[in-house]
PDB file of all heavy atoms in Angstrom:
ATOM      1  N   LEU A 290     -23.822  -4.120  37.291  1.00  0.00           N
ATOM      2  CA  LEU A 290     -23.012  -3.600  36.247  1.00  0.00           C
ATOM      3  C   LEU A 290     -23.849  -2.938  35.186  1.00  0.00           C
ATOM      4  O   LEU A 290     -23.447  -1.906  34.634  1.00  0.00           O
ATOM      5  CB  LEU A 290     -22.106  -4.639  35.601  1.00  0.00           C
ATOM      6  CG  LEU A 290     -21.135  -4.178  34.482  1.00  0.00           C
ATOM      7  CD1 LEU A 290     -20.152  -3.206  35.090  1.00  0.00           C
ATOM      8  CD2 LEU A 290     -20.338  -5.477  33.982  1.00  0.00           C
ATOM      9  N   SER A 291     -24.970  -3.582  34.857  1.00  0.00           N
ATOM     10  CA  SER A 291     -25.883  -2.941  33.784  1.00  0.00           C
ATOM     11  C   SER A 291     -26.461  -1.662  34.317  1.00  0.00           C
ATOM     12  O   SER A 291     -26.722  -0.702  33.518  1.00  0.00           O
ATOM     13  CB  SER A 291     -26.894  -3.938  33.366  1.00  0.00           C
ATOM     14  OG  SER A 291     -27.820  -4.115  34.488  1.00  0.00           O
ATOM     15  N   ARG A 292     -26.776  -1.582  35.613  1.00  0.00           N
ATOM     16  CA  ARG A 292     -27.341  -0.320  36.167  1.00  0.00           C
ATOM     17  C   ARG A 292     -26.292   0.759  36.069  1.00  0.00           C
ATOM     18  O   ARG A 292     -26.569   1.983  35.699  1.00  0.00           O
ATOM     19  CB  ARG A 292     -27.751  -0.517  37.614  1.00  0.00           C
ATOM     20  CG  ARG A 292     -29.013  -1.270  37.822  1.00  0.00           C
ATOM     21  CD  ARG A 292     -29.558  -1.144  39.220  1.00  0.00           C
ATOM     22  NE  ARG A 292     -28.716  -1.685  40.257  1.00  0.00           N
ATOM     23  CZ  ARG A 292     -28.646  -2.958  40.636  1.00  0.00           C
ATOM     24  NH1 ARG A 292     -29.508  -3.798  40.164  1.00  0.00           N
ATOM     25  NH2 ARG A 292     -27.817  -3.290  41.605  1.00  0.00           N
ATOM     26  N   LEU A 293     -24.993   0.454  36.389  1.00  0.00           N
ATOM     27  CA  LEU A 293     -23.914   1.402  36.360  1.00  0.00           C
ATOM     28  C   LEU A 293     -23.671   1.874  34.867  1.00  0.00           C
ATOM     29  O   LEU A 293     -23.637   3.057  34.555  1.00  0.00           O
ATOM     30  CB  LEU A 293     -22.586   0.798  36.861  1.00  0.00           C
ATOM     31  CG  LEU A 293     -21.353   1.637  36.817  1.00  0.00           C
ATOM     32  CD1 LEU A 293     -21.521   2.871  37.692  1.00  0.00           C
ATOM     33  CD2 LEU A 293     -20.123   0.884  37.249  1.00  0.00           C
ATOM     34  N   MET A 294     -23.679   0.935  33.917  1.00  0.00           N
ATOM     35  CA  MET A 294     -23.455   1.265  32.523  1.00  0.00           C
ATOM     36  C   MET A 294     -24.598   2.095  32.003  1.00  0.00           C
ATOM     37  O   MET A 294     -24.397   3.049  31.210  1.00  0.00           O
ATOM     38  CB  MET A 294     -23.354  -0.019  31.728  1.00  0.00           C
ATOM     39  CG  MET A 294     -22.007  -0.747  31.915  1.00  0.00           C
ATOM     40  SD  MET A 294     -20.529   0.214  31.553  1.00  0.00           S
ATOM     41  CE  MET A 294     -20.817   0.550  29.740  1.00  0.00           C
ATOM     42  N   GLY A 295     -25.835   1.762  32.429  1.00  0.00           N
ATOM     43  CA  GLY A 295     -26.930   2.548  31.977  1.00  0.00           C
ATOM     44  C   GLY A 295     -26.853   4.006  32.495  1.00  0.00           C
ATOM     45  O   GLY A 295     -27.105   4.973  31.710  1.00  0.00           O
ATOM     46  N   LEU A 296     -26.552   4.135  33.807  1.00  0.00           N
ATOM     47  CA  LEU A 296     -26.357   5.437  34.336  1.00  0.00           C
ATOM     48  C   LEU A 296     -25.309   6.253  33.651  1.00  0.00           C
ATOM     49  O   LEU A 296     -25.447   7.461  33.326  1.00  0.00           O
ATOM     50  CB  LEU A 296     -26.018   5.318  35.816  1.00  0.00           C
ATOM     51  CG  LEU A 296     -25.798   6.700  36.593  1.00  0.00           C
ATOM     52  CD1 LEU A 296     -27.009   7.603  36.502  1.00  0.00           C
ATOM     53  CD2 LEU A 296     -25.340   6.369  38.023  1.00  0.00           C
ATOM     54  N   TYR A 297     -24.197   5.610  33.271  1.00  0.00           N
ATOM     55  CA  TYR A 297     -23.039   6.252  32.523  1.00  0.00           C
ATOM     56  C   TYR A 297     -23.552   6.770  31.214  1.00  0.00           C
ATOM     57  O   TYR A 297     -23.205   7.876  30.857  1.00  0.00           O
ATOM     58  CB  TYR A 297     -21.921   5.264  32.411  1.00  0.00           C
ATOM     59  CG  TYR A 297     -20.821   5.634  31.481  1.00  0.00           C
ATOM     60  CD1 TYR A 297     -19.866   6.612  31.889  1.00  0.00           C
ATOM     61  CD2 TYR A 297     -20.758   5.148  30.256  1.00  0.00           C
ATOM     62  CE1 TYR A 297     -18.878   6.974  31.028  1.00  0.00           C
ATOM     63  CE2 TYR A 297     -19.657   5.518  29.389  1.00  0.00           C
ATOM     64  CZ  TYR A 297     -18.775   6.452  29.790  1.00  0.00           C
ATOM     65  OH  TYR A 297     -17.762   6.829  28.903  1.00  0.00           O
ATOM     66  N   CYS A 298     -24.288   5.883  30.513  1.00  0.00           N
ATOM     67  CA  CYS A 298     -24.819   6.342  29.250  1.00  0.00           C
ATOM     68  C   CYS A 298     -25.778   7.486  29.316  1.00  0.00           C
ATOM     69  O   CYS A 298     -25.778   8.423  28.517  1.00  0.00           O
ATOM     70  CB  CYS A 298     -25.506   5.117  28.539  1.00  0.00           C
ATOM     71  SG  CYS A 298     -24.342   3.862  27.979  1.00  0.00           S
ATOM     72  N   PHE A 299     -26.649   7.543  30.299  1.00  0.00           N
ATOM     73  CA  PHE A 299     -27.544   8.534  30.491  1.00  0.00           C
ATOM     74  C   PHE A 299     -26.944   9.898  30.891  1.00  0.00           C
ATOM     75  O   PHE A 299     -27.351  10.957  30.427  1.00  0.00           O
ATOM     76  CB  PHE A 299     -28.643   8.170  31.520  1.00  0.00           C
ATOM     77  CG  PHE A 299     -29.536   7.025  31.127  1.00  0.00           C
ATOM     78  CD1 PHE A 299     -29.896   6.096  32.050  1.00  0.00           C
ATOM     79  CD2 PHE A 299     -29.887   6.772  29.812  1.00  0.00           C
ATOM     80  CE1 PHE A 299     -30.742   4.924  31.655  1.00  0.00           C
ATOM     81  CE2 PHE A 299     -30.638   5.711  29.439  1.00  0.00           C
ATOM     82  CZ  PHE A 299     -31.068   4.884  30.405  1.00  0.00           C
ATOM     83  N   VAL A 300     -25.928   9.785  31.668  1.00  0.00           N
ATOM     84  CA  VAL A 300     -25.119  10.968  32.019  1.00  0.00           C
ATOM     85  C   VAL A 300     -24.469  11.523  30.761  1.00  0.00           C
ATOM     86  O   VAL A 300     -24.392  12.738  30.533  1.00  0.00           O
ATOM     87  CB  VAL A 300     -24.104  10.699  33.156  1.00  0.00           C
ATOM     88  CG1 VAL A 300     -23.133  11.848  33.314  1.00  0.00           C
ATOM     89  CG2 VAL A 300     -24.792  10.403  34.482  1.00  0.00           C
ATOM     90  N   GLY A 301     -23.820  10.612  30.029  1.00  0.00           N
ATOM     91  CA  GLY A 301     -23.134  11.038  28.758  1.00  0.00           C
ATOM     92  C   GLY A 301     -24.162  11.788  27.788  1.00  0.00           C
ATOM     93  O   GLY A 301     -23.868  12.731  27.204  1.00  0.00           O
ATOM     94  N   ALA A 302     -25.328  11.143  27.689  1.00  0.00           N
ATOM     95  CA  ALA A 302     -26.409  11.767  26.846  1.00  0.00           C
ATOM     96  C   ALA A 302     -26.764  13.155  27.319  1.00  0.00           C
ATOM     97  O   ALA A 302     -26.892  14.108  26.535  1.00  0.00           O
ATOM     98  CB  ALA A 302     -27.600  10.802  26.864  1.00  0.00           C
ATOM     99  N   GLY A 303     -26.931  13.275  28.681  1.00  0.00           N
ATOM    100  CA  GLY A 303     -27.316  14.624  29.215  1.00  0.00           C
ATOM    101  C   GLY A 303     -26.160  15.599  28.971  1.00  0.00           C
ATOM    102  O   GLY A 303     -26.415  16.788  28.628  1.00  0.00           O
ATOM    103  N   VAL A 304     -24.906  15.299  29.137  1.00  0.00           N
ATOM    104  CA  VAL A 304     -23.790  16.166  29.087  1.00  0.00           C
ATOM    105  C   VAL A 304     -23.647  16.668  27.598  1.00  0.00           C
ATOM    106  O   VAL A 304     -23.481  17.814  27.350  1.00  0.00           O
ATOM    107  CB  VAL A 304     -22.499  15.419  29.462  1.00  0.00           C
ATOM    108  CG1 VAL A 304     -21.306  16.301  29.011  1.00  0.00           C
ATOM    109  CG2 VAL A 304     -22.433  15.236  30.993  1.00  0.00           C
ATOM    110  N   PHE A 305     -23.724  15.702  26.636  1.00  0.00           N
ATOM    111  CA  PHE A 305     -23.508  16.160  25.249  1.00  0.00           C
ATOM    112  C   PHE A 305     -24.829  16.888  24.709  1.00  0.00           C
ATOM    113  O   PHE A 305     -24.680  17.706  23.799  1.00  0.00           O
ATOM    114  CB  PHE A 305     -23.161  14.943  24.416  1.00  0.00           C
ATOM    115  CG  PHE A 305     -21.796  14.513  24.580  1.00  0.00           C
ATOM    116  CD1 PHE A 305     -21.485  13.350  25.373  1.00  0.00           C
ATOM    117  CD2 PHE A 305     -20.669  15.217  24.070  1.00  0.00           C
ATOM    118  CE1 PHE A 305     -20.161  12.955  25.560  1.00  0.00           C
ATOM    119  CE2 PHE A 305     -19.412  14.745  24.316  1.00  0.00           C
ATOM    120  CZ  PHE A 305     -19.144  13.683  25.046  1.00  0.00           C
ATOM    121  N   LEU A 306     -25.968  16.645  25.214  1.00  0.00           N
ATOM    122  CA  LEU A 306     -27.121  17.310  24.826  1.00  0.00           C
ATOM    123  C   LEU A 306     -26.997  18.683  25.280  1.00  0.00           C
ATOM    124  O   LEU A 306     -27.288  19.704  24.515  1.00  0.00           O
ATOM    125  CB  LEU A 306     -28.381  16.663  25.422  1.00  0.00           C
ATOM    126  CG  LEU A 306     -29.758  17.427  25.129  1.00  0.00           C
ATOM    127  CD1 LEU A 306     -30.010  17.513  23.679  1.00  0.00           C
ATOM    128  CD2 LEU A 306     -30.858  16.684  25.905  1.00  0.00           C
ATOM    129  N   LEU A 307     -26.588  18.972  26.526  1.00  0.00           N
ATOM    130  CA  LEU A 307     -26.503  20.247  27.117  1.00  0.00           C
ATOM    131  C   LEU A 307     -25.420  21.034  26.338  1.00  0.00           C
ATOM    132  O   LEU A 307     -25.578  22.215  26.036  1.00  0.00           O
ATOM    133  CB  LEU A 307     -26.181  20.180  28.601  1.00  0.00           C
ATOM    134  CG  LEU A 307     -25.951  21.539  29.330  1.00  0.00           C
ATOM    135  CD1 LEU A 307     -27.237  22.415  29.215  1.00  0.00           C
ATOM    136  CD2 LEU A 307     -25.618  21.359  30.751  1.00  0.00           C
ATOM    137  N   ALA A 308     -24.321  20.388  26.021  1.00  0.00           N
ATOM    138  CA  ALA A 308     -23.179  20.952  25.353  1.00  0.00           C
ATOM    139  C   ALA A 308     -23.672  21.474  23.929  1.00  0.00           C
ATOM    140  O   ALA A 308     -23.267  22.538  23.452  1.00  0.00           O
ATOM    141  CB  ALA A 308     -22.042  20.066  25.154  1.00  0.00           C
ATOM    142  N   GLY A 309     -24.456  20.645  23.289  1.00  0.00           N
ATOM    143  CA  GLY A 309     -25.041  20.966  21.950  1.00  0.00           C
ATOM    144  C   GLY A 309     -25.948  22.200  22.039  1.00  0.00           C
ATOM    145  O   GLY A 309     -25.909  23.042  21.183  1.00  0.00           O
ATOM    146  N   ILE A 310     -26.784  22.237  23.037  1.00  0.00           N
ATOM    147  CA  ILE A 310     -27.657  23.428  23.186  1.00  0.00           C
ATOM    148  C   ILE A 310     -26.903  24.655  23.473  1.00  0.00           C
ATOM    149  O   ILE A 310     -27.152  25.770  22.859  1.00  0.00           O
ATOM    150  CB  ILE A 310     -28.725  23.161  24.391  1.00  0.00           C
ATOM    151  CG1 ILE A 310     -29.552  22.016  23.993  1.00  0.00           C
ATOM    152  CG2 ILE A 310     -29.483  24.376  24.750  1.00  0.00           C
ATOM    153  CD1 ILE A 310     -30.477  21.565  25.159  1.00  0.00           C
ATOM    154  N   LEU A 311     -25.872  24.600  24.390  1.00  0.00           N
ATOM    155  CA  LEU A 311     -25.124  25.701  24.691  1.00  0.00           C
ATOM    156  C   LEU A 311     -24.320  26.274  23.484  1.00  0.00           C
ATOM    157  O   LEU A 311     -24.133  27.365  23.197  1.00  0.00           O
ATOM    158  CB  LEU A 311     -24.131  25.451  25.816  1.00  0.00           C
ATOM    159  CG  LEU A 311     -24.726  25.184  27.209  1.00  0.00           C
ATOM    160  CD1 LEU A 311     -23.617  24.772  28.232  1.00  0.00           C
ATOM    161  CD2 LEU A 311     -25.441  26.461  27.661  1.00  0.00           C
ATOM    162  N   LEU A 312     -23.792  25.171  22.675  1.00  0.00           N
ATOM    163  CA  LEU A 312     -23.057  25.611  21.469  1.00  0.00           C
ATOM    164  C   LEU A 312     -23.950  26.338  20.470  1.00  0.00           C
ATOM    165  O   LEU A 312     -23.488  27.208  19.756  1.00  0.00           O
ATOM    166  CB  LEU A 312     -22.370  24.321  20.816  1.00  0.00           C
ATOM    167  CG  LEU A 312     -21.394  24.601  19.686  1.00  0.00           C
ATOM    168  CD1 LEU A 312     -20.222  25.329  20.152  1.00  0.00           C
ATOM    169  CD2 LEU A 312     -20.964  23.202  19.156  1.00  0.00           C
ATOM    170  N   HIS A 313     -25.202  25.916  20.444  1.00  0.00           N
ATOM    171  CA  HIS A 313     -26.176  26.657  19.533  1.00  0.00           C
ATOM    172  C   HIS A 313     -26.257  28.126  19.864  1.00  0.00           C
ATOM    173  O   HIS A 313     -26.429  28.956  18.997  1.00  0.00           O
ATOM    174  CB  HIS A 313     -27.508  25.966  19.649  1.00  0.00           C
ATOM    175  CG  HIS A 313     -28.649  26.604  18.863  1.00  0.00           C
ATOM    176  ND1 HIS A 313     -28.697  26.574  17.500  1.00  0.00           N
ATOM    177  CD2 HIS A 313     -29.698  27.393  19.258  1.00  0.00           C
ATOM    178  CE1 HIS A 313     -29.749  27.224  17.109  1.00  0.00           C
ATOM    179  NE2 HIS A 313     -30.386  27.833  18.098  1.00  0.00           N
ATOM    180  N   PHE A 314     -26.149  28.448  21.105  1.00  0.00           N
ATOM    181  CA  PHE A 314     -26.106  29.838  21.582  1.00  0.00           C
ATOM    182  C   PHE A 314     -24.717  30.403  21.637  1.00  0.00           C
ATOM    183  O   PHE A 314     -24.501  31.401  22.337  1.00  0.00           O
ATOM    184  CB  PHE A 314     -26.842  29.923  22.954  1.00  0.00           C
ATOM    185  CG  PHE A 314     -28.313  29.593  22.865  1.00  0.00           C
ATOM    186  CD1 PHE A 314     -28.820  28.382  23.331  1.00  0.00           C
ATOM    187  CD2 PHE A 314     -29.187  30.500  22.378  1.00  0.00           C
ATOM    188  CE1 PHE A 314     -30.102  28.027  23.247  1.00  0.00           C
ATOM    189  CE2 PHE A 314     -30.593  30.215  22.323  1.00  0.00           C
ATOM    190  CZ  PHE A 314     -31.025  28.969  22.793  1.00  0.00           C
ATOM    191  N   GLN A 315     -23.847  29.798  20.890  1.00  0.00           N
ATOM    192  CA  GLN A 315     -22.460  30.322  20.694  1.00  0.00           C
ATOM    193  C   GLN A 315     -21.608  30.361  21.947  1.00  0.00           C
ATOM    194  O   GLN A 315     -20.754  31.174  22.155  1.00  0.00           O
ATOM    195  CB  GLN A 315     -22.484  31.707  20.035  1.00  0.00           C
ATOM    196  CG  GLN A 315     -23.125  31.603  18.684  1.00  0.00           C
ATOM    197  CD  GLN A 315     -23.199  33.032  18.023  1.00  0.00           C
ATOM    198  OE1 GLN A 315     -22.594  33.971  18.402  1.00  0.00           O
ATOM    199  NE2 GLN A 315     -23.997  33.088  16.986  1.00  0.00           N
ATOM    200  N   ILE A 316     -21.904  29.465  22.903  1.00  0.00           N
ATOM    201  CA  ILE A 316     -21.095  29.352  24.141  1.00  0.00           C
ATOM    202  C   ILE A 316     -20.049  28.268  23.850  1.00  0.00           C
ATOM    203  O   ILE A 316     -20.280  27.076  24.092  1.00  0.00           O
ATOM    204  CB  ILE A 316     -22.070  28.945  25.322  1.00  0.00           C
ATOM    205  CG1 ILE A 316     -23.086  30.040  25.502  1.00  0.00           C
ATOM    206  CG2 ILE A 316     -21.148  28.835  26.584  1.00  0.00           C
ATOM    207  CD1 ILE A 316     -24.071  29.721  26.626  1.00  0.00           C
TER     208      ILE A 316
END
């Protein structure tokens, strides 16, 4: 369960980091 939760958190971090970068470029 902790491996699953860790993966979920890392995916979430990657998704929102990418969204922030794209938003910086007005996407």
Side-chain angles (χ1 to χ4, degrees):
L290 182 59
S291 66
R292 286 195 298 270
L293 178 66
M294 289 299 302
L296 177 61
Y297 170 76
C298 289
F299 295 144
V300 169
V304 166
F305 286 103
L306 175 61
L307 180 59
I310 294 172
L311 292 176
L312 190 61
H313 176 71
F314 292 102
Q315 300 178 11
I316 303 177

